[in-house]
Amino acid sequence: MEELIILGIESSCDDTSAAVLRGRTLLSNVIASQQVHVQYGGVIPELASRAHQQNIIPVVDTAVRDAGITLGDIGAIAFTRGPGLLGSLLVGVSFTKGLSLARGIPMVEVNHLKGHILSHFIDLPDRTLPHPSFPFLCLLVSGGHTQIVEVRSWDEMEIIGTTIDDAAGEAFDKCAKVMGLPYPGGPVIDRLAQEGDPERFRFARPRVGGYDYSFSGLKTSFLYFLRDRVAAEPGLIENNKSDLCASLQKTIIDILLKKLVLAAKERGIREIAAAGGVSANSGLRSRLTEEAGRRHWNLYLPELKFTTDNAAMIAVAGYFKYLTGQFAELDVTPSARVGEL
Ligand code: KG4
Ligand code: ZN
């Protein structure tokens, strides 16, 4: 049997992306990151959905061409149904329906968060990436979510810990904004932190039960700290940017690791993966690598291009669903909140 060619469509937030896989092997992955939000310091939903509308056809067209295929070769379209911004999701869902209807191609809906986790099962044409074995724990850290997920199969996942307020990515982005850094703040803080002293400043650590997280206290403590200190020393942020970033980043990493280590210990799982935009953070990656050495974990860190939003992860998640014949109907609607994984 010929291997399935699957087109993935991702439009949940501010990246318009299309990817083509042959089986689980990546043929192309095109991402148009929207620049329109930078001037506002955050994603403006209405502008995001308009930019998706402008981008979606050229992005899909490029992905198809880069893959060296034609529309007629596509055996299935996987799309992000949610969670995300409703207006943004709507563009991807409507495009998928149109193409499906015009070409008679079956559709497969994908949960964006599952997509992030299953990005660990993508292969590249020239090499096989290491895939975690089940069950594994996945630290899912993105702009909208911070979770520890116990992954028992590609389909069976349980969120065992989650943030009760802000996500880790939000903590990065909001604290960056307070320091006057551009959006998204995560990568900027990552870069500045590399030259800073992580022990210089101390910020609040949350006390929440189980494997849950909280980041709003850190955000508030960071804000108050700056407000109080800047009043006395106006150049404080400018003069200590790297130390502030390094100290903030270390606090976020400490918070993330504490619960992950606890969960791994109590669940007796040593297959550990990370996923989502924040898993691109170099400090987090080296701390995870360090812990993995100490605790004999088999650690799986996604390739950088698969950490932030991309359609390759949606396509691979769709591939697994396709194999079990789980198709979406034409009356499918996007969902801003998809509770269950
Ligand atoms: O997964 P993602 O692309 O989108 C969501 O599904 O939310 O994650 C975006 C988040 C943003 O908060 C961004 O600041 C953060 O990932 N991020 C990083 C880094 N690269 C992206 N945070 C810290 N360090 C990075 N290098
Ligand atoms: Zn995401």
Side-chain angles (χ1 to χ4, degrees):
M1 195 186 86
E2 285 241 325
E3 276 238 88
L4 173 74
I5 292 190
I6 186 160
L7 171 69
I9 304 284
E10 156 63 33
S11 72
S12 65
C13 189
D14 60 342
D15 295 302
T16 318
S17 180
V20 177
L21 302 189
R22 185 190 299 278
R24 275 164 31 187
T25 303
L26 188 70
L27 300 183
S28 67
N29 186 31
V30 176
I31 304 168
S33 291
Q34 304 177 0
Q35 293 308 309
V36 59
H37 311 288
V38 174
Q39 60 186 306
Y40 302 103
V43 176
I44 310 290
E46 183 59 30
L47 295 179
S49 106
R50 272 188 232 163
H52 282 304
Q53 263 177 322
Q54 284 166 358
N55 293 344
I56 188 102
I57 289 174
V59 163
V60 171
D61 196 46
T62 310
V64 166
R65 245 180 305 134
D66 282 3
I69 61 152
T70 63
L71 286 182
D73 298 322
I74 297 170
I77 314 170
F79 65 96
T80 304
R81 182 175 171 224
L85 301 170
L86 202 55
S88 292
L89 292 164
L90 195 57
V91 176
V93 174
S94 309
F95 175 85
T96 303
K97 285 184 188 180
L99 187 59
S100 161
L101 204 56
R103 293 278 177 160
I105 308 170
M107 306 184 290
V108 184
E109 67 176 71
V110 171
N111 176 315
H112 179 83
L113 300 176
K114 265 190 168 171
H116 273 299
I117 294 168
L118 295 174
S119 67
H120 283 285
F121 296 91
I122 299 169
D123 280 324
L124 298 175
D126 51 343
R127 71 202 145 99
T128 309
L129 298 172
H131 307 308
S133 28
F134 303 113
F136 66 91
L137 291 183
C138 186
L139 177 67
L140 174 55
V141 272
S142 72
H145 296 84
T146 299
Q147 302 175 338
I148 299 176
V149 182
E150 187 172 324
V151 187
R152 302 194 189 102
S153 73
W154 67 266
D155 197 24
E156 206 193 322
M157 306 186 184
E158 187 195 347
I159 301 168
I160 62 171
T162 188
T163 181
I164 58 167
D165 41 56
D166 290 354
E170 254 175 302
F172 273 107
D173 296 341
K174 288 180 177 169
C175 292
K177 195 170 181 177
V178 173
M179 287 188 280
L181 300 174
Y183 177 86
V188 185
I189 290 182
D190 190 351
R191 186 161 36 77
L192 288 167
Q194 286 167 21
E195 291 127 44
D197 173 7
E199 306 298 336
R200 172 89 186 280
F201 302 106
R202 274 199 76 79
F203 305 111
R205 316 262 160 152
R207 259 185 249 165
V208 277
Y211 308 135
D212 284 343
Y213 288 113
S214 165
F215 286 98
S216 76
L218 168 63
K219 181 186 65 187
T220 310
S221 116
F222 189 75
L223 189 70
Y224 283 8
F225 170 84
L226 287 186
R227 193 195 57 183
D228 295 346
R229 295 278 297 264
V230 168
E233 187 193 337
L236 175 92
I237 297 180
E238 213 36 62
N239 300 337
N240 300 283
K241 216 165 241 179
S242 295
D243 290 348
L244 282 167
C245 288
S247 302
L248 174 70
Q249 180 170 295
K250 172 158 192 297
T251 311
I252 294 175
I253 295 171
D254 284 350
I255 295 171
L256 290 173
L257 262 294
K258 186 176 167 190
K259 294 299 175 78
L260 181 64
V261 165
L262 184 69
K265 223 187 267 173
E266 291 185 350
R267 298 268 162 152
I269 296 178
R270 288 197 279 113
E271 292 282 305
I272 308 290
V278 179
S279 71
N281 185 268
S282 59
L284 177 61
R285 290 171 87 95
S286 55
R287 261 293 285 289
L288 282 168
T289 307
E290 219 176 280
E291 295 289 344
R294 181 177 314 142
R295 299 174 193 283
H296 308 289
W297 290 349
N298 296 320
L299 178 68
Y300 302 87
L301 296 173
E303 300 255 310
L304 284 181
K305 60 176 173 293
F306 300 138
T307 56
T308 47
D309 290 347
N310 66 87
M313 69 186 197
I314 302 304
V316 80
Y319 171 79
F320 288 116
K321 265 187 135 169
Y322 177 93
L323 292 184
T324 56
Q326 297 180 51
F327 299 111
E329 300 294 328
L330 264 179
D331 61 358
V332 66
T333 49
S335 172
R337 293 176 187 279
V338 184
E340 299 299 304
L341 269 183

